[in-house]
Amino acid sequence: MQSFLKKTVYAGLTLFALGSLAAVNTTTANAKKHVTTKRVAKKVKKGKHTKKQNKVTVTYYKVHFAENAAYAKSNGVVSIMNKPGKLGNAKVVANKTTMRRLAKSKLPENVFHVYGMAKTNTGLYYAHVVTLGGKYRGWIYVGKNDFQYNLDNITKNTGISATKTLRYGANPSNVNVKILDKLWTYPKFSRYNARVVSHKKASYINDDFVVESAVYNTRGWLYYYVQDAKKKSVNGWIYSGSTTARNAKKDTKKTSKKNPAKTPTDNKQTQSNPTTTTPTPSTYNLVFKYNGNFVSTKIVNLSDLSVNGTPVVTPDSIAKFIPSNYQITTDANAINTDGPIVNGGTAIINLNAVPATRLTIAIKQKDTGALLTPSADLVTTLNEAGQDLLNQKLVLNGQSINSNAVKSILTNRNLLSIDQSKLSTSGAGSLQFVGVDTTAIDASNPTVTLYYK
């Protein structure tokens, strides 16, 4: 089934110097802190015949939803305000008439993305929302239940209710296609961060593609997730009407333009003679991405994902399929699936690169490439800079290092300039930092090489 689109380490430090090398080892703990801010409404002035009113305070929270579970539809009974409605001077952003219209709409751009939560000191909850088309943004009342981790907890018959922006569709009978338009990271208006893929259209528009999954949006339009047949890094979503079958001569007589994707019962390729063929195992696609970029796709048997007889996609069930030097992200968007795990389906799994837990720092002279030997006190400072790199998780196995991040740390440690008396060089004056080797970090021997001139 298609998935949509899509840390704690204990620190220990071992320092040593040999020749020009300084080594650091750490697994330092880093825990995120939940931060909230408070906003206080102005105190209502007392009149001669009015009772004293308590101040209304609001606490704001981050929300934690899966990528495909952060969306809601208007119920048409509550207006959207520019701030939680119980705060003073709140103004209407979308009135009840507008919300009733949005409730009836099937346009995907009228679905709301929920990206924040607020709770008043009186126990009322508000959701921070924006339509996927971006036209309406603000706060809406959602009852007296905490929905920070699950939109289904929203009180019924209040401002909004949880919904899905996409539903599973069947792949076309011929999955080999040519595309006629640009690719998207997700079907347009199906995700708050849907955008055109970063690759230039001209670099892939003439390539052959394979349809790996299909979905319908709220309007019933069919989209395909396609993979470039030759370029693994090029993939994305495209409206089915913007594709043509690669083997058009074989399919044009049997396929209607209005119905590019046949249902499983219409797919004649499945109606082979059972006496002459051997059934193949049901398979499932695991698409791995890092920072939104394609890493790899692995086709696995549904039986390999089975837990107590039911196929599931969880960190445990897919652990053995994760590419080396990567790990599943720990946020709620790590694994994106909609509906049951079925034959031919796809899950998109978001990865993090595995941070190095140790590293070696080497210093080289830029002009000659000669390895330089630091003095004992310089080794200590380099080790401190190395620990900074590890603590900030800037050294990632299999990934090139960010030279600007390294320069920032060297600046803080006063290492942009090193006196030659602290290095194995002759002559007066200092050597200046000029760059870092950005070659991908080798997990078996993580080394950061600094160049000075």
Side-chain angles (χ1 to χ4, degrees), residues 235-378:
N235 49 77
W237 291 89
I238 188 168
Y239 174 54
S240 61
S242 297
T243 67
T244 58
R246 193 169 67 191
N247 299 324
K249 292 182 180 179
K250 296 181 180 179
D251 294 343
T252 49
K253 293 181 180 181
K254 298 180 181 180
T255 305
S256 168
K257 290 184 179 179
K258 294 183 180 180
N259 300 287
K262 297 181 180 181
T263 64
T265 54
D266 293 331
N267 191 341
K268 295 183 179 181
Q269 291 182 353
T270 64
Q271 300 174 0
S272 56
N273 188 341
T275 62
T276 59
T277 60
T278 301
T280 57
S282 297
T283 60
Y284 195 77
N285 304 308
L286 300 177
V287 178
F288 296 98
K289 289 189 173 185
Y290 172 58
N291 287 340
N293 298 315
F294 175 82
V295 175
S296 68
T297 296
K298 296 196 177 181
I299 301 175
V300 303
N301 292 331
L302 284 179
S303 58
D304 292 332
L305 301 175
S306 180
V307 176
N308 296 325
T310 302
V312 295
V313 179
T314 66
D316 290 336
S317 69
I318 67 174
K320 61 184 176 182
F321 303 114
I322 298 173
S324 59
N325 295 327
Y326 291 96
Q327 58 190 6
I328 300 177
T329 62
T330 57
D331 58 31
N333 297 329
I335 299 175
N336 299 290
T337 60
D338 261 342
I341 309 302
V342 298
N343 180 38
T346 302
I348 296 179
I349 297 98
N350 294 319
L351 303 173
N352 280 333
V354 176
T357 56
R358 60 186 177 86
L359 66 87
T360 299
I361 297 179
I363 300 178
K364 287 187 177 181
Q365 195 159 16
K366 182 64 175 177
D367 295 334
T368 65
L371 204 59
L372 303 177
T373 303
S375 62
D377 61 333
L378 180 55

